[in-house]
């Protein structure tokens, strides 16, 4: 039994080392190729835990298993990045089997297994979709295949800013916010990061909770006069002032965004 565990653990460590090396290769490949590559990033999706789980539980249910699969054809299964409010680093799990919305997983796949409450965020990640280093410098949609870029070692999330073409701090990231995008359409806006420009003139009814977001706030710089209504998940009707930054704090009790003005 002990020899089997040592062998499996050695194989796991070897796999992680190879993945860490591949993380850096992907970033270096972009720096070599520059903007000539035009592949688009794939947006990660998420679900939630249907009930609280212990640190040792390996079988549990999620609200939706769409996009989640076990190992197949020699390829590893989906990875899950599980986190909740107050989390610094999420737990990485490897999916072994899927039956309806019930999953069987390997716990502590990359870091320590911990208990998680009902409703915890479960980010659904392909087997090569988690990084172990922070990105730096210039970027494009082809420099990393998935968004957000999640460093599972420290929990920091990053996005490639479409305005500056550089990596910008996103959710769960203590680095100073940088402008991530310009939003110019849609009644329901999904925040691209902690700070972005908005060039809307319509009424915003909802701010969609972004993938990986477990609490805190985001801010926008209005480039035009838009309004918000209280008909959806925004607590107050507001009117934007051009070039005057406005922020929204997530209230998990009221389940609404609360504005600063």
């Amino acid at each position: 039994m002990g020899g089997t565990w040592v062998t499996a653990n050695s194989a796991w460590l070897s796999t992680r080392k190879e993945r860490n090396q591949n993380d850096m290769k992907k970033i270096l490949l972009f720096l070599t190729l520059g903007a000539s590559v035009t592949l688009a990033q794939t947006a990660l999706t998420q679900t939630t835990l249907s009930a609280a789980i212990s640190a040792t539980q390996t079988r549990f249910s999620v609200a939706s298993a769409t996009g989640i699969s076990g190992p197949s054809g020699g390829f590893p299964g989906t990875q899950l990045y599980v986190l909740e409010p107050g989390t610094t680093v999420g737990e990485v799990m490897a999916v072994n089997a899927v039956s309806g919305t019930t999953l069987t997983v390997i716990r502590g796949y990359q870091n320590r297994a911990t208990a998680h409450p009902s409703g915890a965020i479960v980010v659904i990640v392909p087997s090569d979709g988690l990084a172990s280093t922070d990105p730096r410098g210039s970027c494009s949609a082809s420099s990393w295949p998935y968004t957000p870029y999640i460093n599972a070692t420290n929990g920091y999330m990053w996005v490639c800013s479409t305005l500056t073409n550089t990596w910008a701090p996103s959710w769960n990231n203590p680095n100073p916010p940088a402008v991530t995008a310009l939003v110019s359409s849609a009644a329901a806006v999904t925040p691209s990061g902690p700070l972005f420009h908005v060039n809307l003139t319509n009424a915003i009814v909802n701010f969609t909770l972004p993938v990986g977001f477990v609490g805190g706030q985001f801010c926008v710089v209005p480039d035009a006069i838009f309004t918000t209504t209280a008909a959806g998940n925004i607590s107050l009707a507001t009117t934007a002032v051009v070039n005057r930054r406005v922020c929204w704090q997530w209230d998990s009790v009221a389940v609404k965004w609360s504005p600063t003005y």
Side-chain angles (χ1 to χ4, degrees):
M1 179 67 180
T4 301
W5 182 89
V6 170
T7 301
N9 193 50
S10 297
W12 175 83
L13 290 173
S14 176
T15 300
R16 286 310 311 167
K17 182 178 179 181
E18 183 178 346
R19 285 181 180 172
N20 291 347
Q21 292 173 340
N22 288 338
D23 290 346
M24 291 307 302
K25 287 179 181 178
K26 288 177 183 178
I27 295 174
L28 291 174
L29 177 63
F30 162 70
L31 294 177
T32 301
L33 298 178
S36 61
V37 182
T38 58
L39 297 176
Q41 286 182 310
T42 298
L44 299 179
T45 60
Q46 67 184 25
T47 183
T48 58
L49 291 181
S50 298
I53 62 173
S54 69
T56 59
Q57 189 172 337
T58 58
R59 197 167 190 267
F60 54 81
S61 295
V62 292
S64 171
T66 300
I68 302 176
S69 60
S72 177
F75 292 96
T78 304
Q79 293 183 100
L80 307 177
Y81 187 70
V82 185
L83 66 166
E84 57 275 332
T87 298
T88 301
V89 182
E91 180 188 347
V92 182
M93 304 178 189
V95 177
N96 259 349
V98 180
S99 177
T101 57
T102 300
L103 313 178
T104 302
V105 304
I106 299 173
R107 299 296 303 274
Y109 184 64
Q110 183 171 328
N111 43 25
R112 185 171 63 91
T114 61
H116 299 282
S118 176
I121 296 298
V122 180
V123 182
I124 301 166
V125 188
S127 59
D128 62 346
L130 291 172
S132 58
T133 58
D134 288 331
R136 289 288 184 269
S138 61
C139 66
S140 77
S142 61
S143 58
W144 185 258
Y146 310 106
T147 185
Y149 176 112
I150 302 175
N151 181 346
T153 302
N154 58 20
Y156 298 179
M157 299 185 191
W158 303 81
V159 294
C160 183
S161 171
T162 58
L163 295 181
T164 64
N165 294 319
T166 58
W167 289 108
S170 188
W171 316 118
N172 219 19
N173 194 321
N175 290 280
V179 177
T180 54
L182 169 63
V183 174
S184 57
S185 64
V189 175
T190 301
S192 59
L195 178 64
F196 56 97
H197 279 250
V198 173
N199 187 29
L200 297 175
T201 57
N202 60 294
I204 299 174
V205 180
N206 290 288
F207 288 120
T208 304
L209 284 174
V211 171
F213 180 86
V214 290
Q217 69 171 15
F218 70 89
C219 300
V220 306
V221 178
D223 293 335
I225 299 175
F226 64 86
T227 61
T228 65
T229 77
N233 67 356
I234 303 171
S235 63
L236 292 173
T238 63
T239 300
V241 178
V242 174
N243 292 327
R244 182 179 177 184
R245 187 176 66 169
V246 56
C247 304
W248 281 268
Q249 178 76 33
W250 177 246
D251 182 343
S252 59
V253 176
V255 196
K256 288 182 179 290
W257 296 99
S258 178
T260 52
Y261 73 77

